[in-house]
Amino acid sequence: MTADGRGAAGDWRAEFEALAAGARRALEEVLPGPDVPPARIHEAMRYSALAGGKLLRPVLVMAAARCVGGPEAVTPAVRRAAAAVELVHTYSLIHDDLPAMDDDAMRRGQPANHVVFGEAMAILAGDALLTLAFEVLAGLPRWGADPAVALAVAEELARAAGTAGLIGGQVDDLDAVQGAPLDLARLQSIHRRKTGALFRACVRMGARLAGAGEGELEALTAYATAFGEAFQIVDDILDVTGDEAELGKPVGSDARRGKVTVPGLVGLERARRLAAEATERAVASLDPLGDRAALLAWLARSLLERRR
Amino acid sequence: MTADGRGAAGDWRAEFEALAAGARRALEEVLPGPDVPPARIHEAMRYSALAGGKLLRPVLVMAAARCVGGPEAVTPAVRRAAAAVELVHTYSLIHDDLPAMDDDAMRRGQPANHVVFGEAMAILAGDALLTLAFEVLAGLPRWGADPAVALAVAEELARAAGTAGLIGGQVDDLDAVQGAPLDLARLQSIHRRKTGALFRACVRMGARLAGAGEGELEALTAYATAFGEAFQIVDDILDVTGDEAELGKPVGSDARRGKVTVPGLVGLERARRLAAEATERAVASLDPLGDRAALLAWLARSLLERRR
């Protein structure tokens, strides 16, 4: 993987911010306004979806499209697909934070959805965000997407969000707190579903909308798998070492909940090494794509250094 | 509306049962097996989705397709779309029954999902059923559906399930328990979303998959709107007068929860009259469709007499 001339880190950060801004605009577009009745649930949906998350997942959708088809491949349809992924991610955070689940009171630097809007509304707001994601994808042909491609993209997201992905990982995660001790292999298999599946869906959705071939899809899928692994390890590390203000949630909550984490299993030093190795695997997976993948490579490397 | 020769009630009941059996088979097909890991959530999903509901909504999907295109229009794709609607209906029941929502312990004659599997799993099982519904619809072209039609069908379901439909009705329903007194007009506007939107989606999905034109879609939509109205009034009536064993849930739970119902507002006698009027409006809406709509007409009339 070589730099492509404009590869100074500052340029990529600006590119990331530009894509994130596009995702944010698309989110504003697809979310019902806070005055549209029933207003309270739209408020609740917007509260969490526009809470200033990193928008990493939507950026991955757009960066994958850009990698396959160049800057002009980041079409309104791609931006809306990217917003749909963020809606799914946000719904999963709202439901995960519920008292019956992880019982977290803070998220993204603000009180969790159910703390502000009550449990019933938080459940419904999550349901509504998930539903809206598929409404957005079903409407993609109005934004120029081919219907067959739009369906393939919806299927990618549904599978990644279902019991073979996000929800399956969450189920195992719940079991892991209550059940038999986990080893590293089992923990990473949970991560592959809980975090990895959605990362894979992101790059595959963006790539498909940009007309990717099988080879490109494969390289991007391998990238997202390894990137997701690194991302989750760094997440675990930050829960031990992070700064509460930067993280936007309490530090040490995994440990308090008896949650098994990678640093908890293998120590901080080895966890850091595993994250770095996974990041390098992610970057190496991009080799077949050449310089077009420079943004994706930068993204993986920069996330290794993230503080939140 | 005239009978079409084979219109004896027994024939239509047999037809209903045949369609319901087809829906049940499709549900079995699309739901992951109880042994597929993570097994516990698949068990929880199956527990509620295969609990012996009336399968009225899937039958509506198939009956609408049959009305538009004849018996051969009830294709595997239509049956799967019908199953997808039942998945959405089931998810909404599971989440509605949660302690933070309506806090109902019984459903369809058995303990509610969260009573058996715990709250966390019930939340996730609901999420997973909703997600699976869209995965099923995204896969319809593999069962012969045109991709553009499959997308239109997914959009119908997403809209009906979202904050302008099912979820919106539930939000207003929650507000109504806590908030200002409701009048009949406002209560029926809640019903139009909470029950009516999904009924409308059912007939529109089936009709679209069978290649319906705008006129057919309009007639069926009017039918479903009025039918949904009648259905919800009968539901309210059964909560007052029903037999607990037949209903599969406690009688009088609406009143105990302070929920405003149609008989509560206007008395039993007028509620019965309103239901009968709505049913006749539903049947009259079918006039433009002629004898092909006889099953749908029978369905509306027979539901007026339902005991559960």
Side-chain angles (χ1 to χ4, degrees), chain A residues 154-166:
Chain A
E155 196 168 43
E156 293 277 0
L157 186 56
R159 285 187 176 163
T163 59
L166 199 56

Side-chain angles (χ1 to χ4, degrees), chain B residues 202-223:
Chain B
C202 287
V203 297
R204 294 177 64 88
M205 290 166 70
R208 277 180 187 278
L209 285 165
E214 273 309 315
E216 289 167 312
L217 277 175
E218 255 178 55
L220 289 166
T221 305
Y223 161 80

Side-chain angles (χ1 to χ4, degrees), chain B residues 2-210:
Chain B
T2 59
D4 75 342
R6 52 188 297 276
D11 293 347
W12 294 125
R13 168 142 325 267
E15 184 72 31
F16 178 95
E17 296 302 340
L19 293 178
R24 201 181 159 85
R25 279 194 304 276
L27 272 174
E28 285 275 8
E29 257 177 61
V30 303
L31 282 161
D35 303 324
V36 176
R40 188 84 178 140
I41 191 167
H42 293 147
E43 239 186 273
M45 292 162 74
R46 299 173 66 90
Y47 173 81
S48 291
L50 303 172
K54 290 179 290 291
L55 300 176
L56 172 61
R57 290 160 190 79
V59 168
L60 271 177
V61 175
M62 293 184 279
R66 193 183 185 290
C67 168
V68 169
E72 65 277 16
V74 186
T75 59
V78 168
R79 274 193 289 272
R80 292 176 84 89
V85 173
E86 187 67 13
L87 297 177
V88 168
H89 176 55
T90 305
Y91 120 79
S92 79
L93 297 180
I94 295 176
H95 281 190
D96 280 9
D97 287 345
L98 286 167
M101 307 273 284
D102 287 354
D103 196 13
D104 278 318
M106 289 294 287
R107 171 68 73 177
R108 291 176 170 176
Q110 60 181 24
N113 197 286
H114 64 90
V115 172
V116 179
F117 297 93
E119 264 184 80
M121 192 60 86
I123 294 168
L124 290 171
D127 293 345
L129 289 165
L130 176 58
T131 306
L132 179 59
F134 290 104
E135 184 181 335
V136 167
L137 296 183
L140 285 189
R142 278 196 292 281
W143 302 85
D146 174 79
V149 174
L151 271 184
V153 161
E155 196 169 41
E156 292 277 1
L157 186 57
R159 285 187 177 164
T163 59
L166 198 56
I167 294 174
Q170 180 67 13
V171 170
D172 285 347
D173 211 19
L174 285 173
D175 287 349
V177 174
Q178 301 153 358
L182 279 182
D183 58 15
L184 185 64
R186 177 120 178 83
L187 179 61
Q188 294 199 304
S189 124
I190 295 178
H191 288 171
R192 259 196 296 285
R193 271 165 299 147
K194 206 182 159 180
T195 314
L198 200 55
F199 275 46
R200 279 193 295 279
C202 287
V203 297
R204 294 177 64 88
M205 290 166 70
R208 277 180 187 278
L209 285 165

Side-chain angles (χ1 to χ4, degrees), chain A residues 7 39 42 52 77 80 185 246 260:
Chain A
H42 293 148
R80 291 176 85 88
E246 282 188 89
V260 179

Side-chain angles (χ1 to χ4, degrees), chain A:
Chain A
M1 179 86 227
T2 59
D4 74 342
R6 53 186 298 279
D11 293 346
W12 293 125
R13 170 145 317 273
E15 184 71 30
F16 178 95
E17 296 301 339
L19 292 178
R24 201 182 160 83
R25 278 193 306 275
L27 271 174
E28 286 275 7
E29 257 177 60
V30 303
L31 282 162
D35 303 324
V36 176
R40 189 81 179 141
I41 192 168
H42 293 148
E43 239 186 272
M45 292 162 75
R46 298 172 66 89
Y47 173 81
S48 292
L50 303 172
K54 290 180 289 289
L55 299 176
L56 171 61
R57 289 162 190 80
V59 167
L60 271 178
V61 175
M62 296 185 277
R66 192 182 186 291
C67 168
V68 169
E72 65 277 17
V74 185
T75 60
V78 168
R79 274 193 290 272
R80 291 176 85 88
V85 173
E86 187 67 12
L87 296 177
V88 168
H89 176 55
T90 305
Y91 120 78
S92 79
L93 297 180
I94 295 176
H95 281 191
D96 281 8
D97 287 345
L98 286 167
M101 307 273 284
D102 287 354
D103 196 13
D104 277 317
M106 290 294 288
R107 171 68 72 175
R108 290 176 170 176
Q110 60 182 22
N113 197 286
H114 64 91
V115 172
V116 179
F117 296 94
E119 262 184 80
M121 191 62 85
I123 293 168
L124 291 171
D127 293 345
L129 289 165
L130 176 58
T131 306
L132 180 58
F134 290 104
E135 185 183 336
V136 167
L137 295 183
L140 285 189
R142 278 196 292 281
W143 301 85
D146 175 79
V149 173
L151 272 183
V153 162
E155 196 168 43
E156 293 277 0
L157 186 56
R159 285 187 176 163
T163 59
L166 199 56
I167 294 174
Q170 181 66 13
V171 170
D172 284 347
D173 211 19
L174 286 173
D175 287 349
V177 173
Q178 301 152 0
L182 281 180
D183 58 14
L184 186 63
R186 177 120 178 88
L187 179 60
Q188 293 198 305
S189 124
I190 295 179
H191 288 172
R192 259 195 296 283
R193 271 166 298 148
K194 205 182 161 182
T195 315
L198 200 53
F199 274 46
R200 279 192 296 278
C202 287
V203 296
R204 294 177 64 87
M205 291 166 70
R208 276 180 187 278
L209 284 164
E214 273 310 314
E216 289 167 312
L217 278 174
E218 255 178 58
L220 288 166
T221 305
Y223 161 81
T225 302
F227 184 14
E229 209 177 304
F231 182 88
Q232 187 63 53
I233 300 172
V234 172
D235 225 52
D236 283 2
I237 293 174
L238 285 173
D239 191 70
V240 182
T241 67
D243 179 273
E244 200 147 313
E246 282 188 89
L247 271 181
K249 58 183 178 186
V251 165
S253 57
D254 288 347
R256 271 195 305 280
R257 240 193 330 265
K259 215 164 222 180
V260 179
T261 64
V262 176
L265 275 180
V266 303
L268 261 180
E269 198 189 337
R270 192 166 158 223
R272 287 207 174 94
R273 205 164 59 236
L274 286 171
E277 282 167 15
T279 300
E280 285 318 304
R281 253 184 294 128
V283 173
S285 307
L286 298 171
D287 271 349
L289 302 169
D291 288 352
R292 295 177 298 154
L295 173 61
L296 289 169
W298 174 83
L299 211 54
R301 289 209 172 102
S302 73
L303 265 286
L304 192 62
E305 311 299 327
R306 76 193 169 97
R307 311 283 293 277
R308 67 179 188 113

